[in-house]
Amino acid sequence: MYTFLGLAFVLLEIVAVIFAVRAVRSARTPQGAVAWVVFLVSAPYLAVPAYLFLGHSRVNTYIVARRESEEIVNSLQKFGKAHAAVGDDDAVGYPGFETIAEVPVVSGNNIELLIDGQQSFDAIFVALDAAQDYVLIQSYIINDDDLGRAMQARLIACAKRGVTVRLLYDAVGCVKLPKAYLDSLSEAGVQVLNAHALRGPKTRFQINFRNHRKTIVVDGTIGFTGGLNVGDEYMGLDPKFGDWRDTHCRLTGPVVSQLQLVFAEDWHWATDERLLEELNWEAGRAEENMDALVMATGPADAQETGSLYFCAAISAARERLWIASPYFVPENDIMTNLKVAAMRGVDVRIIVPEVIDHTIPWLAAFAYFDELLDAGVQIWRYDSGFMHQKVLLVDEAIASVGTTNMDNRSCRLNFEATAMFFDKRAARDLAAMLEDDFTRCVRLEKHLKDQPFKVRNGAPVARLFAPLL
């Protein structure tokens, strides 16, 4: 018995060392590599299973149509010229964002902010009811509750009247979704797929590389993205969270084609099926004629696109940088850029939730606040229910609405998508929305040493898990 246990422990140590070497070679940051090495060597019985679930940081086999197909690359170049941006008057640096996103800034777009669940799903259901050709829908979380069943009923109605419906879901986000819900959709003719059906995580326990995007495209002419998943809590109906504060957006114009391309890539990843010839790529032009692009980021990218998105936006700010993120566990580069922006006189404000959703990232955020406060960054805590929106405002130049949180998971481990608009009108609308949010916030004044015992002692410990959050 003892011999067997001793042999098992030796084998576990060998596996731990192999994983440690792999972590050193593949981790995206030195901090992450060190954390894994120490954990694996000191506590292999805990760390080896954890590494199997959490230790991978890249998807080397992710097939992205625009990178592999010369046809798509050429089409994107023509697309950019046909819908050339009307200008970069605020000098925010279009080329930088275009390089990160691998798509051009295009003109002829409009964005309608959808504030909270009622506005968002009213607009989504109107679009679904009017669909004539196809619907592409992707959500991280879908619940079998009143809202989930209302969505299910509309997708089934679309399919029954001859509209092609394709649905991608994430196995972790939809862990509570019963198979019967998906079966009902399939039986009605909806094409339903796990976003990782062929590649990537094969079980609900592999929690890295989740597809966190929330995308709806109707007939190639209307698009939706933002922070809202499909569930009653997003309508403010969960008493634990109270009023749920979130932001989605309705898109029209050529930028919808970019959102559609992201879905087509994800569908190809899940099925090996190319949708490019089956979809409408003539989205039309909106009268508002705003410049925009879709910033799709994820662990398949050669560069740190999630972090680069935030750093480029922060660097572009001259007067104002307002960010709302429910999970605030920023990496070092983002922290440095935030502090430098405040030090050069930019009005930097971060809105985070006061209500606790997930305890560890909520606590970890406090470990970053002192540095930011000392640099002049304002931290505002939203306490009128839970705040889940992911939005960013730069001066009167950039308005971003999407799925990307300011944490390591969004920047490095999940697939995300954000609609970026480079337009004064969009920025003013977003500013007005955030100004209203500030009236429901309390500004953080206390440093960590003055916080309650739980926060004062829990924050430094929670921060140790930052590479995984």
Side-chain angles (χ1 to χ4, degrees):
M1 177 67 176
Y2 291 108
T3 302
F4 174 77
L5 290 177
L7 179 61
F9 184 77
V10 170
L11 291 174
L12 189 62
E13 285 287 357
I14 292 173
V15 172
V17 170
I18 293 172
F19 282 0
V21 172
R22 180 172 179 173
V24 169
R25 296 178 61 185
S26 64
R28 291 193 170 195
T29 65
Q31 297 92 335
V34 170
W36 274 119
V37 169
V38 171
F39 190 26
L40 285 161
V41 172
S42 62
Y45 44 89
L46 294 175
V48 167
Y51 189 83
L52 289 171
F53 297 154
L54 299 167
H56 310 281
S57 61
R58 287 190 184 275
V59 182
N60 294 323
T61 58
Y62 189 86
I63 297 176
V64 179
R66 66 174 175 263
R67 295 179 197 151
E68 295 203 341
S69 171
E70 183 178 353
E71 173 190 355
I72 298 303
V73 172
N74 292 336
S75 295
L76 280 172
Q77 292 175 348
K78 293 178 182 178
F79 183 77
K81 292 178 180 178
H83 304 283
V86 295
D88 188 5
D89 296 338
D90 295 286
V92 298
Y94 283 8
F97 293 106
E98 291 173 326
T99 300
I100 298 168
E102 297 188 13
V103 293
V105 176
V106 291
S107 63
N109 305 290
N110 188 44
I111 181 172
E112 177 187 351
L113 295 178
L114 302 173
I115 300 172
D116 295 331
Q118 196 66 56
Q119 283 190 19
S120 298
F121 286 100
D122 282 352
I124 288 170
F125 288 165
V126 166
L128 292 177
D129 291 343
Q132 298 179 2
D133 188 11
Y134 63 85
V135 170
L136 312 176
I137 179 168
Q138 181 175 35
S139 185
Y140 178 62
I141 295 173
I142 303 173
N143 290 333
D144 186 16
D145 53 21
D146 287 346
L147 182 63
R149 287 187 287 274
M151 177 65 77
Q152 180 191 48
R154 278 174 168 80
L155 296 180
I156 289 174
C158 285
K160 286 186 174 180
R161 68 174 187 268
V163 174
T164 300
V165 182
R166 294 180 174 90
L167 168 65
L168 283 174
Y169 70 93
D170 185 275
V172 167
C174 294
V175 65
K176 297 179 181 179
L177 187 65
K179 184 175 180 292
Y181 180 101
L182 299 174
D183 288 344
S184 294
L185 289 169
S186 297
E187 290 167 4
V190 176
Q191 299 178 46
V192 181
L193 280 171
N194 172 2
H196 299 287
L198 289 183
R199 309 174 185 84
K202 293 298 189 295
T203 73
R204 293 173 174 177
F205 303 103
Q206 175 63 65
I207 66 173
N208 285 355
F209 312 142
R210 307 324 311 182
N211 200 312
H212 194 239
R213 293 166 181 158
K214 301 134 178 86
T215 298
I216 296 178
V217 176
V218 176
D219 296 335
T221 58
I222 299 173
F224 297 89
T225 191
L228 289 117
N229 291 292
V230 183
D232 283 351
E233 64 268 36
Y234 298 89
M235 302 296 287
L237 299 177
D238 188 330
K240 175 183 176 182
F241 298 114
D243 292 335
W244 188 280
R245 176 68 189 91
D246 221 325
T247 302
H248 229 59
C249 61
R250 180 182 185 274
L251 308 174
T252 51
V255 73
V256 175
S257 294
Q258 294 185 354
L259 188 64
Q260 180 169 264
L261 179 60
V262 175
F263 182 96
E265 292 170 354
D266 289 343
W267 188 266
H268 189 234
W269 161 257
T271 66
D272 267 344
E273 179 186 357
R274 288 171 57 92
L275 298 181
L276 300 177
E277 292 78 16
E278 299 182 30
L279 304 179
N280 169 39
W281 298 99
E282 297 296 331
R285 295 177 63 87
E287 292 182 5
E288 290 79 3
N289 201 35
M290 298 180 182
D291 286 354
L293 62 70
V294 169
M295 178 69 67
T297 62
D301 298 333
Q303 300 192 65
E304 305 286 358
T305 49
S307 297
L308 289 171
Y309 154 69
F310 279 118
C311 290
I314 296 166
S315 297
R318 297 294 176 265
E319 298 177 357
R320 173 173 61 186
L321 174 69
W322 295 353
I323 299 171
S325 177
Y327 311 113
F328 185 79
V329 191
E331 62 160 27
N332 289 340
D333 289 343
I334 294 174
M335 280 288 289
T336 298
N337 275 274
L338 287 172
K339 291 187 289 185
V340 169
M343 289 174 181
R344 54 187 172 81
V346 176
D347 173 16
V348 182
R349 304 186 195 184
I350 310 293
I351 305 178
V352 294
E354 178 68 22
V355 175
I356 299 175
D357 176 23
H358 300 295
T359 301
I360 293 179
W362 185 88
L363 279 172
F366 281 91
Y368 296 87
F369 291 156
D370 282 5
E371 286 184 62
L372 296 173
L373 291 173
D374 291 343
V377 175
Q378 299 178 29
I379 307 297
W380 292 79
R381 304 192 63 78
Y382 188 92
D383 65 354
S384 182
F386 182 67
M387 189 217 71
H388 188 253
Q389 63 179 329
K390 306 96 166 44
V391 304
L392 179 149
L393 172 70
V394 173
D395 301 335
E396 285 194 346
I398 300 175
S400 285
V401 179
T403 71
T404 309
N405 299 304
M406 193 171 270
D407 62 7
N408 186 66
R409 184 152 297 280
S410 272
C411 286
R412 290 197 168 97
L413 302 176
N414 285 344
F415 295 94
E416 309 283 1
T418 294
M420 298 190 71
F421 275 71
F422 305 90
D423 188 90
K424 288 181 171 60
R425 293 159 293 179
R428 288 167 184 165
D429 287 347
L430 190 61
M433 182 191 78
L434 292 175
E435 285 168 351
D436 186 61
D437 287 336
F438 286 127
T439 67
R440 296 174 175 82
C441 294
V442 175
R443 184 171 174 180
L444 180 68
E445 303 286 356
K446 294 181 180 179
H447 282 64
L448 187 59
K449 64 181 179 61
D450 300 316
Q451 294 293 335
F453 178 87
K454 171 186 174 181
V455 175
R456 189 171 64 250
N457 293 280
V461 175
R463 186 172 182 172
L464 295 175
F465 296 92
L468 306 179
L469 299 178

